[in-house]
Amino acid sequence: MTMDCSESLMLQATSRRALLLGGASFAAWAYLPKFARAADGRDPRFIVVILRGALDGLATVAPIGDPDYAGLHGAIALKADGPNAAVMLDPFFGLHPAMPEFARMYRAKQAAVVHAVATSYRDRSHFDGQDVLESGFPGPGRVQSGWLNRALEALPKGERVTSALAVGPTTPLVLRGAAPTVGWAPTALPQAADDTAMRLLDLYQHRDPTLASALTQGLQLEKQAQGDEMKPKPGAGGVAAMRLVARGAAKLMAADDGPRIGALAFDGWDTHANEGGPVGRLAQLLGGLDGALAEFQSGLGARWRDTVIVVATEFGRTARINGTDGTDHGTGTIALLAGGAVNGGRMITDWPGLKPANLYQARDLAPTTDLRAVIKGVLHDEFGLGERVLAETVFPDSAPVRAMKGLVV
Amino acid sequence: MARDSQAALVALNRFGFGARGGAAGDFINAASDPRGFVLAELVRPNGALLEVPGLLSTPELGKQVFDYQFEIQQARNAAKAAQSGASETPQGPDAKPQQRRNLSLSSAAKEIDPAMQTQAVDHANAAMTPPPTMQPVAGPPKPPAQPLNIIQKTFRAEALARLQRGVVADCGFVERLVVFWSNHLCISANKGALARMWAGSFEREAIRPHVLGRFGDMLKAVEQHPAMLFFLDNQQSLGPESRAGINRNRGLNENLAREIMELHTLGVGGGYTQDDVTSLARVITGWTFAGRQGQLGTPGSFVFNANAHQPGPQQVLGKTYTQAGVAQGEAVLSDIARHPSTVKFIATKFARHFVADDPPPALVAKLQDTFSKTDGDLRALATALVGSNEAWQAPLTKMRSPYEFLVASGRLLARNPEDPARYLNGLNVLGQPLWSPAGPNGFPDTAAAWAAPEGLKLRLDISAQLASQLADRFDPRDLLELVAADAASPETRRTIERAESRQQALALLLMSPEFQRR
């Protein structure tokens, strides 16, 4: 299942899947408790970044080598050449040009991409999708604890295990539960996200023209008053805000007595319309995410060496763009790994292909990797969590989903 | 059982404070018997009274504030004596209490969720409580908050009692009536220390007992309440030919008399003249309250000061009043309370508040008729409103006022207020500071006033704040069922279902026409 794509440079997409499967190694591997490895001075940091709204994985790490990609993604498809060309991670996959920092980490073998990944959720509700992503349960429910908190609970209660850090005005579900957490949020006054305002405006335009007119004026007044559109807007998905949040979190987690585990969420990835290609709305968001990853690297300093960041989203988006140059709710997407401890420089995928017959429900990139396998692998390698606790406690009912191995150096 | 969802929305929004969250079942109850749901509160004995342990009477509060002011005076005198020529002047006893300047939306939102207040220690059940906070860089320590003085404490306690009543009421119709009448016969707490101290007791004593009683009784209670007498300066008004007026060479203050006629009863153009105003001002000279010394009565209580009363008969609205003393004014008020202009003014304003800026004329006529026939029975007036078809058929075009919006949010999110400060800040931000309208005409009551661009944007910010703190506890799709069920428009439903996060969905729900309009 895990495969370095550089081994298959010259292959056509049609045969790629078979080769990837054939090359996968199923050798048994042992769980090695690394958390308490005081001998080699390892002191791991683990950060979960949740992208709310369902990231378009095909627009972020584009399968440019897939013959069906350009047709499906149409006007917003990334290209290997020309202005704003994608950064080719290998001859098949190109990274969005708004992510130079991630490209640098990838080249330094400190970042990896898992593609065609998904949680076990197969429907299209953000709320339920986020529930599954963060709760770690196989299906949506009103569970009030998250897998990261339960992982924390399962760790040996050594002196190095301090409270986990929840970034933002509230603890994300992924980190809620019985294990202790501490919270931090940037102090700037949070404002309603532009995206929320635009959705409300759209609703008013359909249902309440008077309120639509008033809100339009109110938003314009605010813009004029603010002047500076790049003002940090925590929670608004603003580029500057993402960096700000990451900078603060990194500083806290870099401290010798700081939290080893952290979770944060960035909003605004629901790109139904005017998603943009190499430039545009998604590009801005990806630039913010890229900046946040860079802030983590610089802020964590020497601790970066022992760090794994997992960037995940509740589901992907339709393979084909819709009538408004955006994409609708889909299934398969990407997860990103970054950090000095990542066994990086790799595309990790069992690529399903984008032929119509290969799409999930004839719409979406078909998921071939369970996100839980990725996270289980990281949790095992970073903290030495055992297979059983991962399968029963951290991700209940997930025994068939085996931890991916070799994700951590 | 027939369910009428649209009528349920009218019952909850137009007449009430919106549906409560949790398992209250308000929408279902309202849908199965919309009128009964609204009217149920009207028949409860003492339904409008607010008796909460710790809330004191106006004279008791008066004593406290007089003592407090006296202490400050003493301290100031002592300080002056100690260092004559000191440059700083301590705050005078009648000065306005410090207004909070750093109004923050986040604090407004936080009050709706008191649990958001910073926790000091790690905790074991993070599901319903936020984590303790930490800072990446140690900031300068916050200066310790000044302890609240007796005036601030009282104001907050009164505000809290009112907010809590609004948040827990089954429907909220009676509380909406209280808010209506309290705004119609308003004082402003910004008038000074006494007004701030008495804002709550004024409403409890002069408004609430009569909200389901007679308008004439409410009018008398209001115009004789120390808070109103202080707010509109009647304690300073002396009959020019009264003993006090002659001795002190001072005279009338027409403020209260004018507002009684213009705002409280007849209305502008209600057929009164300047002479009527002046006559009424003479009639109510001597209506005052006892001061700290208590020479005329219990300090802080209404008293009639015969020495200040203009002697002799007075002619008001063509009728001569020959009564002596306080009875003269009471007789005038009693007549004005049932004057046809008053009936029309009240009926129109009542219908405008609850139904539409331009209320259906048939409804206004019906309310006028009820008011006249029952001699101003306000329970009958409210019942007639709810009983009319017009009130149920008119589209929901009014905007919730900021107060209604915040209380409705508190109800839906099941946050019983524990600390009123953030509600109060939210009201300040949104332009409806509690019990503090800019003038004696009260807060505006038209949709346009509350659907202003800036106000709407601020509501969105507050909604987003609330959502960021509370959304994870709710499924917004469930909340939409509580708010509007199948009376929700398909567009609103779709907007909420398609929101990219619970947080965004909750903010959009709180801003939806189904939540903002009534």
Side-chain angles (χ1 to χ4, degrees):
Chain A
M1 300 256 298
T2 304
M3 176 90 204
D4 188 338
C5 282
S6 61
E7 291 170 15
S8 54
L9 303 184
M10 308 310 290
L11 291 162
Q12 295 293 311
T14 42
S15 59
R16 190 177 176 89
R17 177 186 174 93
L19 184 103
L20 290 169
L21 281 170
S25 164
F26 294 98
W29 55 290
Y31 284 103
L32 299 173
K34 290 187 179 174
F35 181 64
R37 272 167 33 181
D40 62 6
R42 193 177 186 96
D43 186 4
R45 298 292 190 280
F46 181 50
I47 299 158
V48 175
V49 177
I50 291 171
L51 307 182
R52 293 191 198 282
L55 169 70
D56 185 352
L58 292 173
T60 308
V61 179
I64 291 173
D66 192 306
D68 290 296
Y69 166 70
L72 287 167
H73 247 49
I76 65 170
L78 298 184
K79 295 188 175 66
D81 45 28
N84 300 306
V87 181
M88 296 309 289
L89 298 177
D90 67 16
F92 192 84
F93 287 107
L95 176 69
H96 198 288
M99 302 193 72
E101 300 283 354
F102 186 80
R104 178 181 54 74
M105 294 173 191
Y106 188 93
R107 282 194 298 270
K109 300 198 183 302
Q110 294 192 340
V113 178
V114 188
H115 218 319
V117 70
T119 69
S120 55
Y121 181 68
R122 289 291 174 274
D123 292 316
R124 296 169 194 274
S125 154
H126 291 299
F127 315 142
D128 291 342
Q130 287 163 20
D131 248 14
V132 172
L133 169 65
E134 297 187 59
S135 72
F137 278 70
R142 304 301 303 131
V143 183
Q144 282 297 340
S145 76
W147 58 261
L148 187 53
N149 190 284
R150 293 192 301 273
L152 193 66
E153 261 193 297
L155 290 177
K157 304 294 184 281
E159 59 182 50
R160 282 179 168 184
V161 183
T162 59
S163 299
L165 176 68
V167 181
T170 51
T171 310
L173 174 59
V174 70
L175 200 42
R176 268 185 265 151
T181 60
V182 291
W184 169 75
T187 48
L189 178 69
Q191 306 236 340
D194 286 349
D195 181 48
T196 309
M198 290 308 123
R199 287 170 194 248
L200 182 61
L201 199 53
D202 185 57
L203 171 60
Y204 284 174
Q205 274 157 358
H206 284 97
R207 294 297 308 178
D208 203 324
T210 311
L211 293 187
S213 154
L215 181 63
T216 304
Q217 289 178 47
L219 295 170
Q220 278 167 356
L221 286 175
E222 185 193 46
K223 284 237 157 67
Q224 286 162 11
Q226 275 188 346
D228 180 8
E229 302 231 354
M230 291 305 291
K231 224 175 196 175
K233 281 184 168 185
V239 170
M242 287 195 229
R243 292 196 81 119
L244 190 72
V245 163
R247 193 179 307 159
K251 189 155 192 162
L252 292 167
M253 293 184 71
D256 284 343
D257 56 352
R260 269 32 175 195
I261 286 175
L264 57 146
F266 293 138
D267 300 344
W269 306 85
D270 195 13
T271 47
H272 281 284
N274 305 317
E275 179 173 322
V279 293
R281 186 173 146 213
L282 179 63
Q284 283 226 322
L285 289 164
L286 290 173
L289 174 64
D290 200 53
L293 294 175
E295 292 285 353
F296 271 118
Q297 180 173 17
S298 58
L300 284 167
R303 297 270 75 90
W304 178 253
R305 189 170 60 96
D306 302 331
T307 295
V308 176
I309 301 174
V310 174
V311 182
T313 185
E314 68 264 25
F315 46 69
R317 310 198 70 82
T318 48
R320 184 183 300 280
I321 60 169
N322 63 22
T324 54
D325 289 336
T327 46
D328 295 312
H329 299 179
T331 310
T333 186
I334 56 167
L336 301 177
L337 303 177
V342 171
N343 179 14
R346 301 187 299 151
M347 282 295 308
I348 301 163
T349 184
D350 171 8
W351 187 248
L354 294 176
K355 292 214 164 305
N358 295 347
L359 296 178
Y360 178 74
Q361 293 186 345
R363 290 169 65 90
D364 313 334
L365 173 63
T368 53
T369 297
D370 193 314
L371 182 64
R372 291 173 294 182
V374 179
I375 298 166
K376 281 177 157 188
V378 173
L379 287 175
H380 168 265
D381 287 357
E382 278 274 271
F383 299 112
L385 286 179
E387 193 168 5
R388 203 169 138 179
V389 75
L390 287 170
E392 291 173 6
T393 308
V394 179
F395 292 100
D397 306 321
S398 71
V401 182
R402 312 292 291 190
M404 199 177 270
K405 70 168 192 168
L407 293 176
V408 174
V409 175
Chain B
M1 181 162 28
R3 289 263 171 86
D4 187 341
S5 294
Q6 193 56 40
L9 198 61
V10 174
L12 288 162
N13 287 18
R14 169 158 292 157
F15 297 115
F17 271 125
R20 289 169 297 180
D26 287 348
F27 197 93
I28 293 166
N29 292 336
S32 50
D33 178 14
R35 291 183 199 215
F37 179 76
V38 176
L39 292 173
E41 288 182 345
L42 295 187
V43 296
R44 276 191 207 138
N46 304 325
L49 296 182
L50 185 57
E51 284 160 353
V52 172
L55 296 187
L56 305 177
S57 70
T58 292
E60 288 169 311
L61 294 171
K63 180 176 184 331
Q64 287 187 350
V65 77
F66 293 145
D67 290 349
Y68 172 70
Q69 290 174 334
F70 187 69
E71 274 171 38
I72 289 178
Q73 187 69 45
Q74 298 287 90
R76 182 162 54 182
N77 294 345
K80 257 188 199 151
Q83 46 167 159
S84 54
S87 57
E88 277 188 44
T89 336
Q91 206 177 349
D94 247 349
K96 293 179 188 180
Q98 283 282 313
Q99 292 287 311
R100 293 172 67 101
R101 287 286 170 224
N102 52 344
L103 309 173
S104 102
L105 296 175
S106 70
S107 68
K110 275 178 185 160
E111 164 51 18
I112 303 239
D113 176 19
M116 273 307 294
Q117 287 160 53
T118 307
Q119 309 286 308
V121 288
D122 281 14
H123 52 84
N125 48 352
M128 288 302 287
T129 33
T133 54
M134 59 191 300
Q135 291 296 327
V137 191
K142 284 186 179 173
Q146 290 283 329
L148 298 180
N149 66 34
I150 185 66
I151 300 163
Q152 294 163 320
K153 270 192 216 165
T154 301
F155 190 83
R156 287 189 188 206
E158 297 277 2
L160 182 62
R162 195 210 223 211
L163 287 162
Q164 287 182 335
R165 172 67 68 88
V167 167
V168 304
D170 286 345
C171 167
F173 185 43
V174 167
E175 283 304 293
R176 288 280 310 281
L177 291 169
V178 169
V179 172
F180 170 80
W181 288 113
S182 186
N183 192 53
H184 175 64
L185 299 162
C186 68
I187 65 155
S188 171
N190 284 341
K191 171 82 171 180
L194 280 173
R196 184 153 289 262
M197 192 74 173
W198 283 336
S201 67
F202 168 71
E203 184 176 278
R204 285 187 288 111
E205 295 167 357
I207 304 289
R208 287 184 179 272
H210 310 291
V211 155
L212 302 176
R214 250 169 234 297
F215 178 72
D217 294 337
M218 186 190 285
L219 187 67
K220 180 181 153 193
V222 161
E223 313 304 358
Q224 291 187 340
H225 197 279
M228 181 62 81
L229 296 167
F230 174 72
F231 174 55
L232 292 177
D233 306 315
N234 207 64
Q235 89 283 15
Q236 300 176 22
S237 182
L238 305 177
E241 283 117 36
S242 69
R243 196 184 305 171
I246 292 163
N247 287 348
R248 289 202 241 155
N249 195 24
R250 286 175 57 192
L252 285 183
N253 183 314
E254 291 179 1
N255 201 5
L256 178 58
R258 177 175 306 283
E259 304 309 8
I260 287 174
M261 290 182 149
E262 178 182 327
L263 299 174
H264 298 173
T265 59
L266 304 165
V268 180
Y272 60 92
T273 65
Q274 176 56 42
D275 285 346
D276 291 321
V277 172
T278 310
S279 292
L280 178 57
R282 285 192 288 261
V283 165
I284 58 173
T285 45
W287 291 28
T288 186
F289 55 89
R292 194 177 78 87
Q293 311 285 356
Q295 283 152 342
L296 293 164
T298 311
S301 65
F302 171 76
V303 288
F304 177 73
N305 180 4
N307 277 338
H309 185 67
Q310 175 73 12
Q314 298 293 340
Q315 189 172 335
V316 181
L317 293 167
K319 181 172 168 182
T320 303
Y321 294 86
T322 57
Q323 292 87 342
V326 72
Q328 188 177 44
E330 289 175 348
V332 177
L333 285 187
S334 175
D335 286 344
I336 293 182
R338 50 172 70 96
H339 190 284
S341 293
T342 299
V343 175
K344 185 178 171 202
F345 183 53
I346 298 286
T348 307
K349 193 169 176 179
F350 198 65
R352 176 176 299 130
H353 173 80
F354 280 101
V355 179
D357 288 359
D358 295 313
L363 172 62
V364 176
K366 208 171 290 181
L367 296 176
Q368 280 182 252
D369 193 44
T370 303
F371 194 106
S372 301
K373 279 186 178 152
T374 63
D375 193 19
D377 182 333
L378 299 183
R379 190 198 307 263
L381 189 73
T383 307
L385 174 76
V386 178
S388 76
N389 290 330
E390 290 90 347
W392 294 88
Q393 286 159 355
L396 295 164
T397 55
K398 299 281 287 187
M399 275 297 276
R400 277 190 168 141
S401 71
Y403 185 80
E404 291 160 18
F405 166 55
L406 292 180
V407 171
S409 302
R411 286 167 66 85
L412 180 65
L413 302 174
R415 315 307 301 174
N416 194 18
E418 288 167 20
D419 170 1
R422 295 189 180 92
Y423 273 92
L424 295 175
N425 285 345
L427 290 170
N428 290 345
V429 167
L430 293 174
Q432 198 185 24
L434 186 65
W435 290 318
S436 306
N441 52 341
F443 290 107
D445 199 16
T446 57
W450 298 129
E454 181 65 5
L456 210 54
K457 176 65 183 71
L458 289 167
R459 284 189 198 211
L460 175 57
D461 289 339
I462 286 182
S463 297
Q465 274 287 302
L466 273 172
S468 77
Q469 289 155 14
L470 292 167
D472 285 338
R473 301 172 195 182
F474 304 101
D475 188 323
R477 295 164 295 191
D478 296 344
L479 289 185
L480 180 62
E481 295 310 306
L482 298 179
V483 165
D486 42 359
S489 74
E491 290 87 349
T492 294
R493 186 173 296 279
R494 204 156 45 235
T495 299
I496 287 164
E497 282 170 354
R498 290 186 180 174
E500 77 167 9
S501 60
R502 284 179 203 287
Q503 178 181 333
Q504 185 178 60
L506 180 55
L508 290 167
L509 171 58
L510 295 177
M511 291 306 294
S512 67
E514 286 84 346
F515 200 78
Q516 291 291 338
R517 295 286 193 184
R518 66 163 178 80

